Amino acid sequence: MAKDYFSGMIISCTFVLVFACGQKPKEPPPHFTKADSLMDTYLALQDSMLQTWNIMINDDNQKIESMHALLHELMVSGEGNHADLKSFEERLNRLKNLRYTRKSMANPDVITEYDFASGALVNELLSLAESQRQFAYNPTLQKLADNIRTADDRALQYRESYDRVTAQYNNFLKRNRIFLVENDPDSLKEKPLFQVVSDE
């Protein structure tokens, strides 16, 4: 009986050893440092800034496209002075080149110049379109005019959204710059805000 007991123990131990050897050893959980966590937040804030910026710029591009379409509609209708319409088109073609970038907007004059040129074009084009006899019964002109006016009104909301995200980014940099490891020191500089520009 003792022999049977001893044999059973050997089989049990062998089974346990084989089962244990078949299992992969557990890997230790990944070790995240404070620097890793800060870098994750830093990259997330950068992504948010870029996404908000792109939404704002794309909307402005759509407004410019609507102004081009409005001009085209006036040209093909035969109403309005052709030389004046061509002048509008040339001004509109220059508009994107005047627009600020995320870097150039640090200079308040760049935004002021763009806003003046864009605002003047919007006001003059809408006034011209609405003064045409066909405007009252031309749904294409009406829709384009409405699109331009609505997009122009949205611009401030998009700038405020960009400022909110960028202010968070700037505050994060102030608190954590020394903990962030970056090859390019320029990328750790605070970004300009529209609000700062408008307050000056």
Side-chain angles (χ1 to χ4, degrees), residues 16-167:
V16 169
L17 284 172
V18 169
F19 181 74
C21 290
Q23 287 185 325
K24 292 182 179 178
K26 289 184 179 178
E27 294 181 8
H31 180 65
F32 289 105
T33 64
K34 179 178 180 179
D36 292 329
S37 177
L38 289 173
M39 185 56 71
D40 285 346
T41 304
Y42 168 75
L43 293 173
L45 285 169
Q46 276 199 326
D47 286 345
S48 294
M49 272 195 307
L50 183 59
Q51 183 180 22
T52 310
W53 176 270
N54 286 340
I55 289 171
M56 176 182 66
I57 295 300
N58 287 337
D59 196 64
D60 199 53
N61 285 340
Q62 287 298 315
K63 181 179 74 175
I64 293 172
E65 289 304 313
S66 293
M67 287 194 279
H68 274 297
L70 184 73
L71 267 177
H72 177 73
E73 189 69 18
L74 290 172
M75 285 177 177
V76 297
S77 70
E79 292 194 38
N81 185 292
H82 188 71
D84 289 343
L85 295 177
K86 289 299 287 182
S87 175
F88 273 123
E89 192 170 46
E90 288 167 9
R91 289 168 61 192
L92 198 50
N93 286 334
R94 291 195 299 267
L95 191 58
K96 278 188 183 179
N97 294 331
L98 286 176
R99 189 165 57 204
Y100 46 84
T101 64
R102 291 173 71 186
K103 192 171 184 178
S104 70
M105 64 180 275
N107 179 355
D109 294 337
V110 175
I111 296 178
T112 301
E113 184 180 4
Y114 179 76
D115 286 350
F116 179 80
S118 178
L121 270 169
V122 167
N123 291 333
E124 291 172 38
L125 271 175
L126 291 179
S127 295
L128 177 63
E130 291 167 353
S131 70
Q132 304 301 310
R133 289 175 300 171
Q134 61 168 315
F135 187 81
Y137 56 83
N138 186 326
T140 301
L141 276 179
Q142 293 170 6
K143 182 168 179 53
L144 288 169
D146 186 55
N147 288 346
I148 294 165
R149 188 175 282 109
T150 304
D152 202 48
D153 292 340
R154 275 196 306 261
L156 181 59
Q157 297 171 12
Y158 283 128
R159 288 184 181 187
E160 287 173 349
S161 295
Y162 179 77
D163 273 3
R164 277 194 298 274
V165 176
T166 306

